[in-house]
Amino acid sequence: MLVLGIDTSCDDTCAAVLKDDFEILSSVVSSQDEVHGRFGGVVPELASRKHVENIIPIIDHALSSARAALSDIDVIAVTRGPGLVGSLVVGVSAAKALSLSRSIPLLGINHIEGHIASSFLTPNRPAYPFVALVVSGGHTNLYIARREGEYMLMGQTLDDAAGEAFDKVAKLLGLGYPGGRAIESAANRVRGEPVEFTRPYMKKGSHDFSFSGIKTAARNVVAAAEALDEALIGRIAAGFQEAVIDVLVSKTLDLARRESIDTIVVTGGVAANTRLRTVMDERASKRGTRVLLPPKHLCTDNAAMIAAVGRIRAHEAALNNLTLNAVSRWTI
Ligand code: KG4
Ligand code: ZN
């Protein structure tokens, strides 16, 4: 079985072809960082225009890299939401057009379920039940995946998503967009002690997150400083990164322990952070908990993860799925 995956949920145009048992034949990601970088964040109108330009060439590229033709595709899986609706609609429209013109069954996919499914694209697949931490620019969600397609949302951010906080603090420090990788590099170059930020754990036993307080604390440090030099930037970046990671890791491990679950999946763009990967691995292995971290290029947005959900839900795919629409909010 060949599944064509398509994702245009935010600012990357992505297409991928997946074969049978989660074998990636191709995965193409066209980044728009250059377009949005000078604005310090994603400009929705520009993102959707860029998707319109890119979508057909990117799908063609994914098919040709996989040495497949459209007539070989058994299912088309496209991200329906959550995301920027003007971006989503481009992928959804392209998928509907291909489905209708070539009579290929179509399936609308939840982007967050896609992030979780990225763990199936690796040789060490998680066994159910597992705890899944999805940390991206739009979400910080903690789930228990009990069985295929069944997720219980156990915690989420009450304000900024972790990736959003990274992006905003990076902007504050003049490190540009996207901010996650920039904060990580600045933290790696730190000389001197990282600035200490209070960890927001909120109510005891709560698995919800809140990152806007750390962001404000970082802004206050900058405002109180005489000059924002290289040394202070490094100390803020390192302290901020450490505080966010500490909370993410502690709450995820706590949920796994409380539920007696011994497998944790960490995914989403922020899971590309090397320090998060190291701390999660170290602290989990002390308790004998297994951590599965997809390779970095599968943690950030891609369409192979959308095709992976398409593979799992292939039996739900339908012809004439023309009422399929894009939705900006959709929790699983
Ligand atoms: O999953 P993703 O590619 O797109 C969304 O669905 O949001 O995640 C993008 C987010 C951005 O906020 C970006 O700053 C963050 O992931 N990110 C990182 C790193 N690489 C990407 N955050 C921290 N450290 C990184 N190395
Ligand atoms: Zn994402």
Side-chain angles (χ1 to χ4, degrees), residues 9-12 111 115 135-139 162-167 177-184 241 267-274 296 299-302 305:
S9 58
C10 189
D11 59 339
D12 294 327
H111 182 82
H115 274 301
V135 258
S136 70
H139 300 92
E164 188 182 355
F166 268 93
D167 293 336
Y177 173 87
R181 246 177 304 147
I183 294 263
E184 182 171 2
Q241 177 175 269
T267 180
V270 181
N273 183 287
T274 304
K296 293 181 183 184
C299 286
T300 47
D301 284 352
N302 66 88
M305 68 187 198

Side-chain angles (χ1 to χ4, degrees), residues 147-191:
R147 53 186 70 84
E148 203 168 88
E150 200 183 303
Y151 312 95
M152 280 172 67
L153 181 61
M154 305 300 290
Q156 60 189 317
T157 183
L158 303 178
D159 39 59
D160 291 349
E164 188 182 355
F166 268 93
D167 293 336
K168 286 178 178 168
V169 171
K171 194 171 180 180
L172 172 78
L173 299 179
L175 295 173
Y177 173 87
R181 246 177 304 147
I183 294 263
E184 182 171 2
S185 325
N188 287 343
R189 292 193 303 268
V190 69
R191 303 259 176 277

Side-chain angles (χ1 to χ4, degrees), residues 53-248:
E53 272 173 39
N54 286 342
I55 189 73
I56 298 299
I58 293 298
I59 292 173
D60 273 345
H61 188 172
L63 287 169
S64 61
S65 307
R67 296 182 191 287
L70 259 184
S71 52
D72 302 323
I73 299 295
D74 299 290
V75 173
I76 299 174
V78 63
T79 301
R80 240 191 105 193
L84 299 171
V85 83
S87 289
L88 288 162
V89 85
V90 178
V92 167
S93 306
K96 287 201 299 203
L98 293 176
S99 166
L100 181 69
S101 60
R102 299 301 186 107
S103 300
I104 306 170
L106 175 65
L107 199 55
I109 305 291
N110 183 297
H111 182 82
I112 303 174
E113 186 174 8
H115 274 301
I116 298 174
S118 64
S119 59
F120 288 97
L121 298 169
T122 63
N124 297 318
R125 288 184 204 148
Y128 295 96
F130 59 86
V131 166
L133 172 68
V134 181
V135 258
S136 70
H139 300 92
T140 308
N141 290 0
L142 199 47
Y143 294 96
I144 295 177
R146 292 242 174 255
R147 53 186 70 84
E148 203 168 88
E150 200 183 303
Y151 312 95
M152 280 172 67
L153 181 61
M154 305 300 290
Q156 60 189 317
T157 183
L158 303 178
D159 39 59
D160 291 349
E164 188 182 355
F166 268 93
D167 293 336
K168 286 178 178 168
V169 171
K171 194 171 180 180
L172 172 78
L173 299 179
L175 295 173
Y177 173 87
R181 246 177 304 147
I183 294 263
E184 182 171 2
S185 325
N188 287 343
R189 292 193 303 268
V190 69
R191 303 259 176 277
E193 282 302 302
V195 174
E196 187 68 25
F197 292 106
T198 309
R199 275 68 165 147
Y201 287 104
M202 293 161 308
K203 280 203 314 281
K204 199 170 156 42
S206 160
H207 292 105
D208 287 333
F209 302 92
S210 166
F211 296 111
S212 70
I214 312 184
K215 183 191 64 189
T216 307
R219 186 177 302 131
N220 292 343
V221 174
V222 172
E226 275 173 21
L228 182 61
D229 57 12
E230 192 71 15
L232 184 59
I233 290 174
R235 291 177 53 232
I236 295 174
F240 165 80
Q241 177 175 269
E242 213 55 30
V244 171
I245 289 174
D246 197 6
V247 176
L248 291 174

